[in-house]
Amino acid sequence: MSFSRIATYFFIATVSLAPSVSFAQIIKVTLLDNAIQLDTNTVKAGKVTFEVTNASTTKVLHEMVVLKTSVAEDKLPVKNDRVPERKFKSMGEVSDLATDKSQKLTAKLAAGHYVLICNNPGHYQMGMHTTLTATN
């Protein structure tokens, strides 16, 4: 057997035995004065990185909380001007983000329905919520 043929077999065997690498999908999240915008509302289940930027023109601190829930984004319960996060499965958050600042959050999302909110007092009621779906 020639050297090149042996090298080819070795390469094929090495590639097929290499562990699969899981790369995070990236979602760009923009926090506005009274809304949350995503560059996509659907991702594949798995590792997702949220690149969150506070683009508020009113210089207000915002946060982004990812909640797994079957409840519609505009139907979450509110108590004392905030959504009681403990009633839902929180997948993580970016908190107290100043205007023109950015931060990343990486989470492993199972297939299902998620609601992203700003849960600073009164912000959810102002419209700072959106939906994300993770599919198989």
Side-chain angles (χ1 to χ4, degrees):
M1 192 179 289
S2 72
F3 175 76
S4 64
R5 187 171 215 137
I6 292 171
T8 300
Y9 286 129
F10 178 74
F11 175 76
I12 292 170
T14 302
V15 170
S16 65
L17 294 176
S20 64
V21 177
S22 174
F23 293 102
Q25 301 164 87
I26 297 173
I27 299 177
K28 293 189 183 304
V29 181
T30 306
L31 305 175
L32 301 170
D33 292 323
N34 58 1
I36 298 176
Q37 289 182 341
L38 307 179
D39 67 347
T40 183
N41 288 87
T42 305
V43 293
K44 289 193 120 338
K47 195 182 291 187
V48 176
T49 296
F50 298 90
E51 293 181 348
V52 184
T53 301
N54 183 350
S56 170
T57 60
T58 58
K59 308 295 184 205
V60 173
L61 290 177
H62 285 304
E63 68 175 6
M64 182 208 64
V65 181
V66 181
L67 302 174
K68 184 166 182 16
T69 178
S70 59
V71 178
E73 71 174 270
D74 60 345
K75 301 295 185 202
L76 299 180
V78 175
K79 184 174 183 177
N80 298 326
D81 285 334
R82 298 185 66 179
V83 173
E85 294 175 36
R86 67 187 179 284
K87 291 189 174 196
F88 303 98
K89 182 175 182 178
S90 176
M91 305 307 295
E93 70 179 72
V94 170
S95 59
D96 295 334
L97 194 59
T99 301
D100 297 327
K101 299 295 181 188
S102 297
Q103 191 174 336
K104 294 180 183 180
L105 166 70
T106 299
K108 187 172 182 180
L109 304 182
H113 177 261
Y114 297 84
V115 174
L116 283 64
I117 65 171
C118 177
N119 207 19
N120 288 344
H123 290 206
Y124 172 79
Q125 298 93 307
M126 291 187 319
M128 292 203 66
H129 49 79
T130 192
T131 299
L132 176 67
T133 303
T135 62
N136 285 324

